[in-house]
Amino acid sequence: MHEFEYVAPRSLADAVAVLSRLNGQAKPLAGGTDLIDQMRMGRYQPGTVVDLKKIPELVRLELSSAGLRLGAAVPCRVINEHPAIASDYSALKDSTHIIGGIQIQNRASVGGNLCNSGPAADSSPSLIALGAVCVVTGPKGTRDVPVEQFCTGPGKNVLQPGELLVELKFPSPAANSGSAYERFIPRYEMDIAVVGVGASVTLDAAGETIISARIGLGAVGPTPIDATSAAALLVGKSATRETLELAAEAARGLATPIDDMRGTVEFRKHATGVLVRRVLETAIQRAKGLA
Amino acid sequence: MAKKQVVSATINGNATEFLCEPRQTLLEALRDNLDLTGTKEGCSNGNCGACTVLLDGHPVVSCLVLAMEAEGAEVTTIEGIAPSEGLDPIQQAFLENAALQCGICTPGFIVATKALLDTNPSPTENEVRFALANNLCRCTGYDKIVRAVLDAAERRKASV
Ligand SMILES: Cc1cc2nc3c(=O)[nH]c(=O)nc-3n(C[C@H](O)[C@H](O)[C@H](O)COP(=O)(O)OP(=O)(O)OC[C@H]3O[C@@H](n4cnc5c(N)ncnc54)[C@H](O)[C@@H]3O)c2cc1C
Ligand code: FES
Ligand code: FES
């Protein structure tokens, strides 16, 4: 690897100070599972690497009546082993359980997954489905960015030089709600999503009518897609297969994938529809407490 | 050359101080600076698992960890698995089940297996395969490795 300095600030203020002083010449390090490889390949050559894992706000996982606050550098294993996340934020558990293998999950963070801003990142559709908000801090202060507005292109996002992602805030789950994430890959694990879908659904007290829904799509556009118009078709309808097919069809229309070695445009669009239906079915089962 | 830095860590139970460059990975520091060459380099990009070590008890790929990140941490490498006499039951099970041919993947598999069995002493075959998905072997076809891990679980239970 190229030569660089390593610093591990112990406070958010110190991290922002060093990142803004170096003005774009420094790169934050969370789990390093993207960054270290990218530095080895010469894609990034930051003069300084700023390890975020000693900053309390970045490694905190806090559940309260207000919802979930997930520090940007918390590794996937800590997330997917948390019982309350499995029950209340199932899509997040699903995502963090399939990123890499165990060795990767012990390091890789959801914040790093999002900040790397790959179109196929496995956590992004779940973050959209769960209505996450990104807390971004920089030299000019702190701002909230809805997660669906965070990525702006492959490898690109709204972070300005000197800014970093501190945490993700999730609303507490509504009664009778459930969520799920699934991806299509040609093998069981250790691969990049050909299509990834996250969804959350809230049912009425009888468990029959859909009150609200969110759907996030991955790997079928330059950024993760918030399929709001597809999810809107579900509202007020009974949770039947016909209803879910409506949303699946609409989501197929929102997908703008590319052809590559992992799948053609045609296949990716088709798989988007299939996965949207399946993931909605799982989310509904979970909303009913059946899965 | 960027200034070398001192890192203090507990490596295989021993308080250790070593010098490294910030750009060195933990894998490079273990092999090149500390002569702990049991940890192998395969892909150097996180996919093969040959470089697996335990960092504070959890398996990680040391090619994707900076040596500087080990400051204050506990690191266990394959050299720290065997007792002072003989072999660990996991190693014995790998030997007797012929779970290796060329052997370059073996240290990584054994370290990953140790982490698995420490948290889940009686894994199912599926759980074993899932836990070892980040370790590649180009020789054995995996079946003997999976059998060795299941056998190791039995041996560990028998020895307590
Ligand atoms: C073998 C292997 C398998 C993988 N499998 C998958 C998979 O199945 N699915 C998947 O989606 N990904 C996968 N990945 C990619 C990677 O593991 C994930 O993207 C991971 O979540 C990145 O998180 P990290 O903490 O390691 O990020 P890092 O590598 O530390 O950082 C990633 C990028 O984000 C920046 N960054 C990190 N944190 C912040 C922050 N708080 N604020 C601002 N910028 C920040 C860094 O500067 C860097 O540019 C895999 C990688 C490997 C090596
Ligand atoms: S050498 Fe580290 S995973 Fe292959
Ligand atoms: S024994 Fe040769 S790679 Fe596994």
Side-chain angles (χ1 to χ4, degrees), chain B residues 64-83:
Chain B
L64 294 184
V65 178
L66 297 178
M68 301 283 294
E69 291 183 74
E71 173 67 37
E74 274 191 36
V75 179
T76 305
T77 69
I78 185 66
E79 287 90 347
I81 301 283

Side-chain angles (χ1 to χ4, degrees), chain A residues 72-73 81 90 107 109 114 118 128 149 152 170 186 192 194 206 213 232 253 255 259 266 269 275 277:
Chain A
E81 282 183 351
S90 317
R107 295 268 296 166
S109 63
L114 185 61
I128 291 173
Q149 291 166 20
T152 53
F170 301 78
I192 297 172
V194 179
D259 274 314
E266 194 47 41
K269 284 188 169 236
L275 279 189
R277 180 179 47 76

Side-chain angles (χ1 to χ4, degrees), chain A residues 79-96:
Chain A
I79 300 168
N80 69 39
E81 282 183 351
H82 203 296
I85 287 185
S87 60
D88 293 354
Y89 302 93
S90 317
L92 188 58
K93 162 153 188 172
D94 293 344
S95 289
T96 52

Side-chain angles (χ1 to χ4, degrees), chain A residues 170-237:
Chain A
F170 301 78
S172 51
N176 308 308
S177 67
S179 66
Y181 175 78
E182 253 189 71
R183 67 179 176 186
F184 176 82
I185 56 170
R187 42 205 296 237
Y188 287 113
E189 62 266 299
M190 299 294 293
D191 209 340
I192 297 172
V194 179
V195 177
V197 175
S200 68
V201 173
T202 304
L203 302 175
D204 65 353
E208 278 159 18
T209 305
I210 298 171
I211 299 179
S212 68
R214 292 179 64 97
I215 302 173
L217 311 176
V220 290
T223 64
I225 295 171
D226 178 10
T228 322
S229 57
L233 296 174
L234 298 166
V235 177
K237 301 218 175 66

Side-chain angles (χ1 to χ4, degrees), chain A residues 27-36 38 44 52 58 72 98-100 104 107-113 115-116 120-123 159 163-166 183 190-191, chain B residues 45-47 64 134:
Chain A
K27 272 257 175 208
L29 170 80
T33 59
D34 281 316
L35 182 63
I36 295 177
Q38 289 161 351
Y44 295 122
L52 304 176
L58 272 283
I98 57 175
I99 291 180
I104 297 297
R107 295 268 296 166
S109 63
V110 167
N113 198 228
C115 291
N116 192 56
D122 277 311
S123 66
L159 291 180
E163 282 190 326
L164 62 89
L165 176 65
V166 179
R183 67 179 176 186
M190 299 294 293
D191 209 340
Chain B
N45 61 25
N47 276 277
L64 294 184
N134 211 158

Side-chain angles (χ1 to χ4, degrees), chain B residues 98-140:
Chain B
L100 60 144
Q101 290 176 30
C102 80
I104 192 156
C105 69
T106 313
F109 268 103
I110 288 176
V111 172
T113 300
K114 165 104 172 111
L116 168 66
L117 298 182
D118 282 351
T119 49
N120 180 358
S122 311
T124 63
E125 177 179 339
N126 238 344
E127 287 169 340
V128 170
R129 289 185 186 271
F130 189 81
L132 300 180
N134 211 158
N135 293 79
L136 301 184
C137 175
R138 293 289 80 144
C139 302
T140 62

Side-chain angles (χ1 to χ4, degrees), chain A residues 1-6 29-33 36-37 40 49 51 53 77 97 101-104 106-107 189-190, chain B residues 1-2 21-23 25 44-47 52 58-61 63-66 68-69 112 130-131 133-135:
Chain A
M1 265 187 281
H2 74 287
E3 278 179 28
F4 55 80
E5 301 289 332
Y6 167 93
L29 170 80
T33 59
I36 295 177
D37 187 49
R40 190 192 329 273
V49 167
D51 190 347
K53 295 189 295 298
R77 175 188 50 84
H97 195 59
I102 307 292
Q103 288 93 320
I104 297 297
N106 276 319
R107 295 268 296 166
E189 62 266 299
M190 299 294 293
Chain B
M1 198 163 62
E21 285 183 65
R23 65 166 162 180
T25 62
S44 257
N45 61 25
N47 276 277
T52 300
H58 299 293
V60 298
V61 282
C63 66
L64 294 184
V65 178
L66 297 178
M68 301 283 294
E69 291 183 74
F130 189 81
N134 211 158
N135 293 79

